[in-house]
Amino acid sequence: MQNQHDFLAKTALGLFLAGILGPILLICFGINTGGPYILGIACEFFALLFASLSWSQRISRIVATVVLCLIAVGAGNFILFKTSAKSARDSMQAREAQARLNAEASAAKR
C-alpha cells in the first residue's frame, strides 16, 4: 500500500510540474489557441486529485497546498479584474455621456 501512495505522490508532483511548465513551453513554441491553458488546468486538477488520494505522503500535501493556493490567487485575480473592468467601463460611459452633453451644449449655443 505504501508503494502505491508513493507512486501517486510522484504522479501528482509530475502533473503539477507539467501543469506549470507545459503551457509555458507550448506558448513559447507558438501554440496559443487555448490548448495550453486547458492542458495546464487539466494537469493541475489531476495533480490535486492524485495528491488527495495519497495524502499521507509529504510531497502530496505540499502539491495539494500549492495547487489550492494557486486556485485561491486565480479566483482573487478574477474577482479583482471583473471589479476593475466594471469600474473602468462605468467611468468610460460617464466620460462619453459628458462629451455628448458638451457637444449638444456647444451646438445649442451656435
Side-chain angles (χ1 to χ4, degrees):
M1 193 68 167
Q2 180 67 20
N3 195 16
Q4 181 183 8
H5 286 299
D6 191 39
F7 173 74
L8 289 175
K10 289 179 182 178
T11 303
L13 179 62
L15 284 169
F16 171 72
L17 293 174
I20 295 293
L21 299 175
I24 295 170
L25 289 174
L26 289 174
I27 290 171
C28 287
F29 290 124
I31 301 171
N32 198 10
T33 59
Y37 307 111
I38 293 171
L39 172 76
I41 291 170
C43 284
E44 295 301 325
F45 171 76
F46 285 113
L48 184 61
L49 177 72
F50 287 134
S52 65
L53 289 175
S54 61
W55 186 255
S56 62
Q57 298 291 319
R58 183 175 183 213
I59 295 172
S60 295
R61 290 191 300 269
I62 293 171
V63 167
T65 304
V66 171
V67 170
L68 290 174
C69 288
L70 287 175
I71 290 171
V73 168
N77 284 337
F78 180 76
I79 291 169
L80 288 174
F81 176 73
K82 284 294 184 182
T83 304
S84 65
K86 184 181 182 312
S87 168
R89 189 176 345 117
D90 291 345
S91 65
M92 183 178 67
Q93 288 173 348
R95 284 192 304 266
E96 289 173 353
Q98 185 64 37
R100 277 194 303 268
L101 287 174
N102 290 343
E104 290 172 1
S106 66
K109 287 182 182 178
R110 290 181 191 171

XYZ file of all heavy atoms in Angstrom:
824
model
N 0.827 -1.199 0.000
C 0.000 0.000 0.000
C 0.871 1.264 0.000
O 0.534 2.240 -0.638
C -0.903 -0.036 1.236
C -1.994 0.957 1.175
S -3.158 0.520 -0.107
C -4.477 1.568 0.281
N 1.975 1.220 0.717
C 2.878 2.368 0.771
C 3.459 2.665 -0.607
O 3.629 3.822 -0.972
C 3.997 2.096 1.787
C 4.994 3.210 1.936
C 4.395 4.464 2.553
O 3.360 4.410 3.193
N 5.035 5.586 2.344
N 3.757 1.601 -1.366
C 4.314 1.770 -2.698
C 3.314 2.471 -3.615
O 3.692 3.294 -4.442
C 4.722 0.403 -3.263
C 5.624 0.539 -4.467
O 6.179 1.595 -4.704
N 5.766 -0.549 -5.201
N 2.040 2.144 -3.462
C 1.008 2.782 -4.278
C 0.883 4.264 -3.936
O 0.763 5.107 -4.817
C -0.327 2.079 -4.078
C -1.443 2.677 -4.912
C -2.776 2.011 -4.638
O -2.904 1.206 -3.730
N -3.767 2.369 -5.426
N 0.925 4.597 -2.651
C 0.852 6.001 -2.245
C 2.073 6.780 -2.731
O 1.959 7.938 -3.112
C 0.719 6.127 -0.726
C -0.633 5.762 -0.213
N -1.773 6.422 -0.594
C -1.022 4.799 0.649
C -2.815 5.890 0.014
N -2.383 4.889 0.771
N 3.228 6.145 -2.722
C 4.441 6.792 -3.207
C 4.326 7.077 -4.709
O 4.701 8.151 -5.181
C 5.656 5.910 -2.909
C 6.958 6.635 -3.134
O 7.031 7.835 -2.797
O 7.905 6.001 -3.645
N 3.782 6.111 -5.464
C 3.587 6.303 -6.905
C 2.598 7.439 -7.166
O 2.820 8.282 -8.046
C 3.086 4.996 -7.545
C 2.714 5.151 -8.984
C 3.700 5.279 -9.954
C 1.386 5.189 -9.371
C 3.362 5.429 -11.291
C 1.039 5.339 -10.692
C 2.026 5.463 -11.661
N 1.503 7.478 -6.420
C 0.513 8.544 -6.612
C 1.092 9.911 -6.256
O 0.789 10.913 -6.910
C -0.736 8.264 -5.771
C -1.622 7.111 -6.236
C -2.739 6.870 -5.239
C -2.173 7.385 -7.614
N 1.935 9.950 -5.224
C 2.554 11.216 -4.832
C 3.494 11.719 -5.915
O 3.493 12.912 -6.262
C 3.306 11.049 -3.517
N 4.288 10.813 -6.489
C 5.201 11.219 -7.561
C 4.431 11.604 -8.821
O 4.838 12.517 -9.543
C 6.200 10.112 -7.846
C 7.207 9.946 -6.732
C 8.185 8.846 -7.006
C 9.156 8.701 -5.826
N 10.084 7.606 -6.037
N 3.329 10.922 -9.076
C 2.485 11.280 -10.222
C 1.873 12.669 -10.017
O 1.813 13.463 -10.957
C 1.373 10.234 -10.410
O 1.963 8.950 -10.564
C 0.529 10.549 -11.630
N 1.441 12.949 -8.801
C 0.884 14.271 -8.505
C 1.936 15.357 -8.707
O 1.653 16.413 -9.282
C 0.354 14.311 -7.073
N 3.158 15.105 -8.275
C 4.239 16.074 -8.457
C 4.540 16.269 -9.938
O 4.718 17.400 -10.405
C 5.496 15.636 -7.706
C 6.707 16.552 -7.827
C 6.390 17.932 -7.247
C 7.906 15.937 -7.138
N 4.582 15.181 -10.696
C 4.831 15.279 -12.129
C 3.732 16.048 -12.849
O 4.004 16.883 -13.721
N 2.483 15.782 -12.491
C 1.378 16.509 -13.109
C 1.391 17.983 -12.719
O 1.062 18.854 -13.530
C 0.045 15.872 -12.723
C -0.285 14.573 -13.437
C -1.481 13.903 -12.778
C -0.556 14.837 -14.908
N 1.772 18.262 -11.488
C 1.873 19.651 -11.053
C 2.911 20.402 -11.883
O 2.661 21.496 -12.382
C 2.226 19.719 -9.572
C 2.551 21.093 -9.095
C 1.554 22.035 -8.951
C 3.856 21.460 -8.807
C 1.852 23.321 -8.528
C 4.163 22.725 -8.383
C 3.155 23.665 -8.239
N 4.079 19.791 -12.048
C 5.131 20.431 -12.838
C 4.732 20.556 -14.303
O 5.013 21.567 -14.953
C 6.442 19.663 -12.693
C 7.080 19.713 -11.302
C 8.287 18.798 -11.246
C 7.438 21.134 -10.927
N 4.040 19.537 -14.824
C 3.565 19.601 -16.213
C 2.517 20.689 -16.371
O 2.469 21.375 -17.397
C 2.996 18.252 -16.632
N 1.676 20.872 -15.358
C 0.652 21.914 -15.415
C 1.224 23.315 -15.337
O 0.644 24.263 -15.862
N 2.369 23.463 -14.687
C 3.003 24.772 -14.589
C 3.887 25.046 -15.809
O 3.821 26.108 -16.428
C 3.852 24.874 -13.297
C 2.960 24.802 -12.063
C 4.679 26.141 -13.272
C 2.036 25.968 -11.866
N 4.731 24.081 -16.163
C 5.720 24.306 -17.211
C 5.210 23.997 -18.615
O 5.677 24.607 -19.584
C 6.970 23.465 -16.930
C 7.678 23.773 -15.615
C 8.817 22.797 -15.394
C 8.166 25.198 -15.583
N 4.261 23.073 -18.742
C 3.754 22.679 -20.056
C 3.149 23.824 -20.851
O 3.528 24.049 -22.014
N 2.212 24.572 -20.280
C 1.644 25.692 -21.033
C 2.675 26.752 -21.416
O 2.613 27.316 -22.508
C 0.600 26.269 -20.076
C 0.229 25.139 -19.202
C 1.480 24.328 -19.037
N 3.634 26.989 -20.542
C 4.670 27.977 -20.854
C 5.481 27.529 -22.070
O 5.743 28.313 -22.981
C 5.586 28.201 -19.631
C 4.795 28.824 -18.489
C 6.779 29.064 -19.999
C 5.527 28.871 -17.176
N 5.859 26.256 -22.088
C 6.623 25.741 -23.223
C 5.802 25.760 -24.509
O 6.314 26.111 -25.575
C 7.113 24.326 -22.926
C 8.222 24.214 -21.895
C 8.516 22.755 -21.574
C 9.469 24.912 -22.382
N 4.538 25.374 -24.429
C 3.704 25.374 -25.629
C 3.498 26.780 -26.174
O 3.495 26.996 -27.391
C 2.361 24.708 -25.333
C 2.404 23.194 -25.126
C 1.048 22.682 -24.692
C 2.872 22.494 -26.377
N 3.340 27.744 -25.286
C 3.175 29.130 -25.738
C 4.478 29.637 -26.352
O 4.456 30.383 -27.334
C 2.706 30.014 -24.566
C 1.265 29.654 -24.201
C 2.793 31.491 -24.917
C 0.770 30.289 -22.933
N 5.612 29.231 -25.804
C 6.902 29.633 -26.387
C 7.079 29.099 -27.795
O 7.742 29.722 -28.621
C 8.054 29.163 -25.510
S 8.228 30.103 -23.994
N 6.506 27.934 -28.084
C 6.609 27.354 -29.418
C 5.521 27.860 -30.360
O 5.394 27.376 -31.468
C 6.581 25.827 -29.350
C 7.818 25.245 -28.759
C 7.751 24.412 -27.660
C 9.066 25.529 -29.290
C 8.895 23.872 -27.107
C 10.222 24.995 -28.737
C 10.134 24.168 -27.648
N 4.719 28.806 -29.925
C 3.755 29.452 -30.799
C 2.362 28.859 -30.770
O 1.510 29.257 -31.555
N 2.102 27.912 -29.908
C 0.756 27.344 -29.810
C 0.001 28.155 -28.762
O 0.231 28.020 -27.572
C 0.818 25.863 -29.409
C 1.628 25.094 -30.430
C -0.577 25.281 -29.279
C 1.929 23.672 -30.032
N -0.874 29.022 -29.222
C -1.579 29.917 -28.302
C -3.060 29.978 -28.657
O -3.637 31.043 -28.777
C -0.951 31.314 -28.339
C -1.339 32.136 -27.142
O -1.921 31.613 -26.200
N -1.030 33.411 -27.180
N -3.665 28.808 -28.844
C -5.065 28.761 -29.254
C -6.011 28.414 -28.122
O -7.179 28.196 -28.348
C -5.239 27.719 -30.367
O -4.802 26.454 -29.859
C -4.452 28.082 -31.593
N -5.529 28.328 -26.930
C -6.348 27.949 -25.789
C -5.986 26.563 -25.276
O -6.292 26.215 -24.147
N -5.366 25.752 -26.112
C -4.967 24.407 -25.715
C -4.002 24.368 -24.550
O -4.169 23.544 -23.645
N -2.980 25.222 -24.546
C -2.054 25.197 -23.404
C -2.738 25.501 -22.073
O -2.387 24.917 -21.041
C -1.039 26.286 -23.744
C -1.055 26.373 -25.214
C -2.473 26.084 -25.612
N -3.717 26.378 -22.098
C -4.411 26.724 -20.855
C -5.261 25.556 -20.368
O -5.303 25.259 -19.165
C -5.262 27.966 -21.061
C -4.472 29.116 -21.630
C -4.701 29.568 -22.924
C -3.468 29.717 -20.896
C -3.963 30.605 -23.454
C -2.720 30.762 -21.418
C -2.982 31.190 -22.706
O -2.233 32.211 -23.229
N -5.927 24.883 -21.315
C -6.738 23.722 -20.949
C -5.840 22.609 -20.424
O -6.175 21.936 -19.449
C -7.578 23.263 -22.151
C -8.616 24.337 -22.492
C -8.265 21.929 -21.873
C -9.354 24.103 -23.779
N -4.677 22.418 -21.063
C -3.720 21.411 -20.597
C -3.265 21.724 -19.172
O -3.222 20.831 -18.318
C -2.509 21.357 -21.524
C -1.361 20.476 -21.048
C -1.691 19.014 -21.270
C -0.079 20.864 -21.724
N -2.944 22.977 -18.898
C -2.493 23.363 -17.563
C -3.561 23.147 -16.510
O -3.285 22.622 -15.424
N -4.789 23.522 -16.833
C -5.888 23.352 -15.872
C -6.147 21.875 -15.621
O -6.346 21.454 -14.466
C -7.145 24.076 -16.381
C -6.927 25.584 -16.329
C -8.372 23.679 -15.574
C -7.998 26.391 -17.030
N -6.132 21.064 -16.681
C -6.362 19.627 -16.515
C -5.252 18.981 -15.689
O -5.532 18.159 -14.801
C -6.476 18.964 -17.886
N -4.011 19.332 -15.968
C -2.897 18.763 -15.207
C -2.982 19.156 -13.737
O -2.743 18.324 -12.848
C -1.561 19.215 -15.789
S -1.114 18.375 -17.305
N -3.323 20.401 -13.462
C -3.432 20.832 -12.066
C -4.599 20.140 -11.360
O -4.506 19.796 -10.185
C -3.580 22.350 -11.975
C -2.369 23.118 -12.462
C -1.101 22.789 -11.721
O -1.146 22.523 -10.505
O -0.040 22.794 -12.364
N -5.696 19.933 -12.076
C -6.837 19.228 -11.485
C -6.440 17.801 -11.118
O -6.720 17.332 -10.008
C -8.018 19.224 -12.455
C -9.145 18.337 -12.008
C -9.987 18.732 -10.988
C -9.342 17.102 -12.601
C -11.014 17.906 -10.562
C -10.358 16.280 -12.188
C -11.205 16.677 -11.165
N -5.786 17.094 -12.053
C -5.393 15.720 -11.762
C -4.279 15.655 -10.729
O -4.205 14.688 -9.952
C -5.005 14.988 -13.051
C -6.203 14.611 -13.876
C -6.427 15.190 -15.099
C -7.128 13.689 -13.408
C -7.536 14.865 -15.849
C -8.237 13.346 -14.145
C -8.446 13.936 -15.380
N -3.422 16.656 -10.683
C -2.408 16.701 -9.627
C -3.075 16.817 -8.262
O -2.679 16.134 -7.303
C -1.454 17.872 -9.855
N -4.096 17.655 -8.178
C -4.835 17.796 -6.918
C -5.554 16.498 -6.564
O -5.573 16.085 -5.404
C -5.822 18.954 -7.015
C -6.612 19.306 -5.770
C -5.669 19.718 -4.647
C -7.594 20.423 -6.069
N -6.116 15.830 -7.563
C -6.806 14.560 -7.330
C -5.839 13.496 -6.815
O -6.113 12.840 -5.798
C -7.482 14.091 -8.622
C -8.187 12.744 -8.550
C -9.452 12.877 -7.724
C -8.498 12.255 -9.938
N -4.700 13.323 -7.496
C -3.740 12.313 -7.063
C -3.104 12.674 -5.727
O -2.792 11.789 -4.928
C -2.659 12.098 -8.114
C -3.144 11.355 -9.332
C -2.824 11.789 -10.597
C -3.932 10.232 -9.204
C -3.273 11.111 -11.716
C -4.387 9.541 -10.311
C -4.055 9.979 -11.571
N -2.919 13.958 -5.479
C -2.358 14.371 -4.185
C -3.344 14.063 -3.056
O -2.929 13.660 -1.966
C -2.019 15.851 -4.216
N -4.615 14.237 -3.324
C -5.591 13.936 -2.275
C -5.722 12.429 -2.051
O -6.041 11.993 -0.946
C -6.948 14.546 -2.622
O -7.476 13.938 -3.784
N -5.469 11.620 -3.094
C -5.532 10.165 -2.928
C -4.351 9.625 -2.129
O -4.455 8.556 -1.529
C -5.578 9.481 -4.299
C -6.876 9.648 -5.089
C -6.728 9.029 -6.466
C -8.034 9.030 -4.330
N -3.250 10.338 -2.128
C -2.071 9.884 -1.372
C -1.677 10.939 -0.345
O -0.525 11.338 -0.258
C -0.914 9.614 -2.328
O -0.553 10.789 -3.010
N -2.625 11.370 0.431
C -2.435 12.467 1.379
C -1.390 12.150 2.443
O -0.799 13.055 3.040
C -3.775 12.800 2.035
C -3.719 13.995 2.901
C -3.716 14.019 4.258
C -3.646 15.365 2.485
N -3.660 15.301 4.716
C -3.610 16.159 3.648
C -3.605 15.998 1.256
C -3.541 17.543 3.603
C -3.530 17.374 1.224
C -3.502 18.134 2.378
N -1.113 10.882 2.695
C -0.167 10.531 3.756
C 1.281 10.869 3.384
O 2.135 10.938 4.264
C -0.276 9.036 4.071
O 0.062 8.268 2.925
N 1.545 11.094 2.115
C 2.895 11.441 1.670
C 3.110 12.954 1.798
O 2.199 13.747 1.549
C 3.100 11.028 0.218
C 2.969 9.555 -0.013
C 4.111 8.791 0.603
O 5.249 9.215 0.522
N 3.797 7.668 1.224
N 4.307 13.328 2.167
C 4.629 14.750 2.356
C 4.560 15.519 1.036
O 4.062 16.641 0.992
C 6.013 14.883 2.968
C 6.397 16.297 3.259
C 7.718 16.357 3.968
N 8.014 17.749 4.300
C 9.226 18.237 4.325
N 10.255 17.482 4.060
N 9.413 19.499 4.627
N 5.027 14.904 -0.051
C 5.002 15.554 -1.365
C 3.565 15.874 -1.758
O 3.279 16.947 -2.289
C 5.674 14.646 -2.425
C 7.148 14.470 -2.127
C 5.472 15.200 -3.819
C 7.832 13.445 -3.016
N 2.668 14.951 -1.472
C 1.267 15.149 -1.835
C 0.645 16.318 -1.080
O -0.117 17.094 -1.650
C 0.460 13.880 -1.559
O 0.901 12.850 -2.387
N 0.943 16.428 0.180
C 0.401 17.541 0.959
C 0.924 18.872 0.433
O 0.178 19.854 0.357
C 0.745 17.364 2.439
C -0.005 16.222 3.088
C 0.141 16.235 4.596
N 1.522 16.112 5.044
C 2.139 14.976 5.325
N 1.489 13.836 5.221
N 3.389 14.968 5.739
N 2.195 18.916 0.053
C 2.774 20.150 -0.493
C 2.134 20.494 -1.830
O 1.746 21.644 -2.074
C 4.308 20.013 -0.619
C 4.941 19.933 0.772
C 4.895 21.164 -1.412
C 6.408 19.573 0.759
N 2.003 19.490 -2.716
C 1.396 19.725 -4.031
C -0.039 20.206 -3.871
O -0.456 21.178 -4.514
C 1.473 18.453 -4.907
C 0.590 18.579 -6.136
C 2.898 18.172 -5.316
N -0.815 19.558 -3.017
C -2.206 19.951 -2.822
C -2.310 21.376 -2.263
O -3.144 22.163 -2.703
C -2.902 18.964 -1.888
N -1.444 21.702 -1.334
C -1.463 23.045 -0.753
C -1.116 24.102 -1.793
O -1.784 25.140 -1.878
C -0.473 23.127 0.423
O -0.799 22.119 1.379
C -0.511 24.490 1.073
N -0.109 23.841 -2.609
C 0.288 24.811 -3.628
C -0.801 24.971 -4.689
O -1.116 26.086 -5.113
C 1.641 24.402 -4.257
C 1.960 25.262 -5.464
C 2.744 24.507 -3.235
N -1.414 23.858 -5.108
C -2.484 23.944 -6.109
C -3.677 24.719 -5.550
O -4.260 25.571 -6.236
C -2.899 22.536 -6.595
C -4.156 22.601 -7.436
C -1.779 21.897 -7.386
N -4.035 24.460 -4.312
C -5.149 25.195 -3.710
C -4.816 26.680 -3.557
O -5.692 27.536 -3.735
C -5.531 24.575 -2.373
C -6.208 23.207 -2.478
C -6.413 22.617 -1.087
C -7.522 23.303 -3.224
N -3.571 26.998 -3.255
C -3.156 28.407 -3.191
C -3.227 29.062 -4.569
O -3.656 30.216 -4.688
C -1.747 28.530 -2.628
S -1.638 28.199 -0.869
N -2.823 28.329 -5.613
C -2.936 28.866 -6.971
C -4.391 29.118 -7.347
O -4.708 30.126 -7.995
C -2.297 27.905 -7.973
C -0.782 27.831 -7.979
C -0.314 26.744 -8.930
C -0.180 29.164 -8.369
N -5.275 28.219 -6.943
C -6.702 28.409 -7.217
C -7.216 29.648 -6.485
O -7.963 30.450 -7.053
C -7.496 27.155 -6.817
C -7.169 26.002 -7.778
C -8.997 27.424 -6.807
C -7.722 24.663 -7.351
N -6.798 29.829 -5.236
C -7.245 30.992 -4.464
C -6.733 32.295 -5.084
O -7.476 33.273 -5.204
C -6.777 30.876 -3.014
N -5.469 32.310 -5.498
C -4.907 33.513 -6.129
C -5.605 33.798 -7.459
O -5.928 34.941 -7.778
C -3.380 33.360 -6.313
C -2.810 34.431 -7.213
C -2.698 33.382 -4.962
N -5.854 32.745 -8.236
C -6.549 32.920 -9.506
C -7.959 33.440 -9.316
O -8.416 34.315 -10.066
N -8.669 32.923 -8.323
C -10.026 33.403 -8.053
C -9.997 34.859 -7.593
O -10.843 35.668 -7.998
C -10.694 32.524 -7.000
N -9.022 35.202 -6.770
C -8.904 36.594 -6.328
C -8.611 37.532 -7.480
O -9.193 38.615 -7.577
N -7.714 37.124 -8.371
C -7.418 37.950 -9.548
C -8.631 38.086 -10.446
O -8.879 39.159 -11.005
C -6.255 37.361 -10.342
C -4.935 37.632 -9.686
O -4.804 38.568 -8.906
N -3.954 36.819 -9.994
N -9.384 37.012 -10.602
C -10.583 37.056 -11.433
C -11.598 38.041 -10.864
O -12.156 38.864 -11.594
C -11.204 35.654 -11.531
C -12.444 35.609 -12.356
C -12.367 35.656 -13.737
C -13.685 35.516 -11.756
C -13.515 35.615 -14.509
C -14.829 35.473 -12.511
C -14.753 35.518 -13.897
N -11.804 37.996 -9.566
C -12.757 38.914 -8.930
C -12.276 40.354 -9.044
O -13.053 41.253 -9.377
C -12.973 38.509 -7.456
C -13.730 37.175 -7.395
C -13.721 39.594 -6.690
C -13.768 36.550 -6.025
N -10.990 40.596 -8.785
C -10.456 41.954 -8.895
C -10.525 42.466 -10.325
O -10.849 43.633 -10.564
C -9.015 42.009 -8.398
C -8.830 41.882 -6.892
C -7.354 41.814 -6.558
C -9.491 43.035 -6.177
N -10.237 41.607 -11.300
C -10.289 42.020 -12.705
C -11.708 42.374 -13.111
O -11.937 43.369 -13.788
C -9.741 40.918 -13.611
C -9.862 41.242 -15.061
C -9.034 42.194 -15.634
C -10.811 40.623 -15.850
C -9.151 42.510 -16.978
C -10.935 40.929 -17.185
C -10.104 41.875 -17.750
N -12.664 41.553 -12.706
C -14.058 41.843 -13.048
C -14.505 43.159 -12.416
O -15.190 43.952 -13.043
C -14.977 40.706 -12.580
C -14.912 39.494 -13.430
C -15.459 39.782 -14.798
C -15.495 38.558 -15.649
N -15.975 38.787 -16.983
N -14.103 43.403 -11.175
C -14.483 44.641 -10.492
C -13.831 45.845 -11.160
O -14.496 46.856 -11.404
C -14.062 44.568 -9.015
O -14.631 43.408 -8.427
C -14.513 45.792 -8.261
N -12.554 45.754 -11.479
C -11.869 46.891 -12.097
C -12.347 47.112 -13.523
O -12.427 48.252 -13.980
C -10.355 46.699 -12.069
O -9.981 45.602 -12.869
N -12.689 46.043 -14.246
C -13.209 46.199 -15.603
C -14.566 46.883 -15.570
O -14.863 47.747 -16.409
C -13.310 44.843 -16.296
N -15.409 46.543 -14.602
C -16.715 47.185 -14.486
C -16.539 48.653 -14.132
O -17.224 49.526 -14.683
C -17.553 46.488 -13.426
C -18.963 47.034 -13.310
C -19.728 46.306 -12.228
C -21.138 46.765 -12.085
N -21.347 48.179 -12.021
N -15.612 48.952 -13.242
C -15.347 50.330 -12.859
C -14.840 51.139 -14.045
O -15.259 52.278 -14.265
C -14.332 50.355 -11.722
O -13.857 51.649 -11.507
N -13.933 50.566 -14.822
C -13.393 51.259 -15.990
C -14.480 51.481 -17.032
O -14.551 52.550 -17.660
C -12.242 50.460 -16.590
N -15.344 50.492 -17.230
C -16.439 50.624 -18.185
C -17.410 51.719 -17.752
O -17.855 52.536 -18.563
C -17.175 49.295 -18.317
C -18.185 49.267 -19.421
C -18.835 47.897 -19.595
N -18.142 46.819 -18.921
C -18.679 46.094 -17.925
N -19.907 46.310 -17.527
N -17.988 45.136 -17.350
N -17.714 51.770 -16.463
C -18.619 52.802 -15.958
C -18.031 54.201 -16.131
O -18.732 55.137 -16.534
C -18.947 52.555 -14.487
C -19.810 51.327 -14.279
O -20.399 50.830 -15.274
O -19.886 50.857 -13.123
N -16.738 54.352 -15.837
C -16.130 55.674 -15.980
C -16.027 56.073 -17.450
O -16.189 57.249 -17.787
C -14.753 55.708 -15.322
O -13.866 54.852 -15.985
N -15.806 55.115 -18.348
C -15.759 55.422 -19.773
C -17.141 55.858 -20.273
O -17.263 56.824 -21.031
C -15.292 54.209 -20.585
C -15.154 54.477 -22.070
S -14.568 53.070 -23.000
C -15.944 51.944 -22.837
N -18.185 55.183 -19.810
C -19.536 55.579 -20.201
C -19.875 56.962 -19.665
O -20.538 57.756 -20.342
C -20.546 54.547 -19.707
C -20.487 53.244 -20.468
C -21.377 52.175 -19.858
O -21.878 52.317 -18.743
N -21.556 51.082 -20.592
N -19.419 57.293 -18.460
C -19.664 58.621 -17.900
C -18.939 59.687 -18.714
O -19.502 60.764 -18.977
C -19.221 58.664 -16.443
N -17.696 59.430 -19.133
C -16.965 60.388 -19.970
C -17.640 60.579 -21.321
O -17.731 61.701 -21.830
C -15.520 59.922 -20.164
C -14.637 60.145 -18.964
C -13.167 59.947 -19.313
N -12.893 58.642 -19.890
C -12.490 57.573 -19.211
N -12.307 57.671 -17.910
N -12.258 56.430 -19.815
N -18.136 59.478 -21.910
C -18.826 59.586 -23.198
C -20.113 60.394 -23.061
O -20.435 61.216 -23.932
C -19.123 58.200 -23.758
C -17.905 57.465 -24.241
C -18.211 56.026 -24.642
O -19.352 55.561 -24.413
O -17.316 55.378 -25.190
N -20.835 60.166 -21.983
C -22.067 60.916 -21.760
C -21.761 62.398 -21.561
O -22.472 63.264 -22.094
C -22.814 60.357 -20.552
N -20.708 62.710 -20.822
C -20.316 64.104 -20.611
C -19.889 64.749 -21.923
O -20.219 65.915 -22.195
C -19.178 64.188 -19.579
C -18.800 65.596 -19.205
C -19.930 66.333 -18.520
O -20.691 65.745 -17.742
N -20.075 67.613 -18.800
N -19.165 64.009 -22.759
C -18.738 64.546 -24.051
C -19.949 64.821 -24.946
O -19.983 65.839 -25.656
C -17.783 63.573 -24.742
N -20.952 63.942 -24.917
C -22.179 64.183 -25.698
C -22.912 65.417 -25.199
O -23.401 66.236 -25.987
C -23.093 62.964 -25.622
C -22.747 61.860 -26.596
C -23.876 60.847 -26.708
N -24.228 60.267 -25.418
C -23.714 59.157 -24.915
N -22.794 58.513 -25.595
N -24.094 58.701 -23.750
N -22.976 65.572 -23.871
C -23.647 66.749 -23.313
C -22.904 68.024 -23.707
O -23.533 69.041 -24.052
C -23.737 66.647 -21.792
C -24.744 65.638 -21.253
C -24.622 65.542 -19.740
C -26.151 66.026 -21.652
N -21.575 67.994 -23.661
C -20.790 69.165 -24.052
C -20.981 69.478 -25.525
O -21.084 70.651 -25.906
C -19.307 68.941 -23.746
C -19.025 68.937 -22.262
O -19.838 69.398 -21.462
N -17.884 68.386 -21.886
N -21.048 68.446 -26.361
C -21.250 68.667 -27.790
C -22.630 69.238 -28.066
O -22.802 70.141 -28.904
C -21.062 67.359 -28.560
N -23.647 68.769 -27.364
C -25.005 69.284 -27.535
C -25.089 70.714 -27.050
O -25.773 71.564 -27.658
C -25.999 68.404 -26.803
C -26.203 67.033 -27.419
C -27.051 66.120 -26.570
O -27.519 66.533 -25.484
O -27.249 64.955 -26.990
N -24.415 71.010 -25.942
C -24.448 72.368 -25.399
C -23.748 73.350 -26.358
O -24.235 74.470 -26.562
C -23.795 72.418 -24.033
N -22.636 72.949 -26.927
C -21.940 73.838 -27.852
C -22.715 73.987 -29.163
O -22.704 75.052 -29.769
C -20.514 73.329 -28.130
O -20.573 72.100 -28.829
N -23.450 72.958 -29.572
C -24.260 73.055 -30.793
C -25.467 73.951 -30.540
O -25.910 74.683 -31.436
C -24.710 71.681 -31.227
N -25.996 73.935 -29.307
C -27.162 74.764 -28.990
C -26.777 76.241 -28.908
O -27.604 77.128 -29.182
C -27.776 74.302 -27.685
N -25.535 76.557 -28.545
C -25.093 77.948 -28.427
C -24.917 78.581 -29.802
O -24.953 79.791 -29.945
C -23.767 78.022 -27.677
C -23.926 77.753 -26.199
C -22.596 77.894 -25.516
C -22.726 77.590 -24.036
N -21.444 77.682 -23.350
N -24.712 77.796 -30.828
C -24.447 78.333 -32.160
C -25.685 78.762 -32.803
O -26.644 78.940 -33.001
C -23.787 77.277 -33.047
C -22.381 77.006 -32.582
C -21.735 75.988 -33.470
N -20.483 75.555 -32.851
C -19.772 74.577 -33.261
N -20.156 73.885 -34.292
N -18.674 74.262 -32.677
